[in-house]
Amino acid sequence: VGAIFATGSLLPTELDDRALDALREFNEDGALEVLDQFGNSDLSHVQNKSAFLCGVMKTYREKNRQKAQGQLSAGSDASKGPDEAKIKALLDRSGYTLDITTGQRK
């Protein structure tokens, strides 16, 4: 966590006790993997970084649960989703942002 704070992309006040307690429940390898994924994420559009970290932890737990149940094959790409480079290119071309208002979420 200290390394992420050192980058300046996250301030210590932006993580609440709930997120830190949830992170402490992971073993060392799991916590490092979660923090690595969190640290490599683009947090510029994230308003609630504690909730974002909790989401990363939830996704990590779900992937591990699926692996344990044999639902993910060893060769499959576990991170299905859009290609970030293509999204960035589209946003640059169109001038749109990834900002979502409260009204759009409903």
Side-chain angles (χ1 to χ4, degrees):
V1 177
I4 296 172
F5 290 152
T7 65
S9 63
L10 180 69
L11 299 174
T13 57
E14 293 180 300
L15 289 182
D16 60 19
D17 292 337
R18 177 182 56 100
L20 294 174
D21 289 343
L23 187 59
R24 286 185 191 105
E25 293 176 8
F26 284 92
N27 63 26
E28 185 177 350
D29 291 337
L32 289 174
E33 200 169 323
V34 166
L35 289 173
D36 184 49
Q37 184 176 352
F38 180 76
N40 290 331
S41 299
D42 177 15
L43 301 176
S44 63
H45 66 282
V46 177
Q47 292 180 358
N48 187 341
K49 294 178 182 170
S50 272
F52 185 84
L53 176 59
C54 288
V56 171
M57 289 186 280
K58 181 178 179 184
T59 302
Y60 178 82
R61 279 190 197 108
E62 186 60 34
K63 285 180 185 177
N64 280 347
R65 189 174 298 122
Q66 288 177 354
K67 283 180 186 177
Q69 293 174 353
Q71 293 177 356
L72 291 178
S73 64
S76 72
D77 183 14
S79 62
K80 293 196 178 1
D83 183 359
E84 286 188 34
K86 289 181 181 178
I87 290 175
K88 180 157 179 38
L90 176 66
L91 292 174
D92 291 342
R93 232 181 17 251
S94 65
Y96 289 116
T97 65
L98 284 178
D99 295 333
I100 300 172
T101 65
T102 305
Q104 290 171 321
R105 291 183 190 148
K106 292 182 179 184

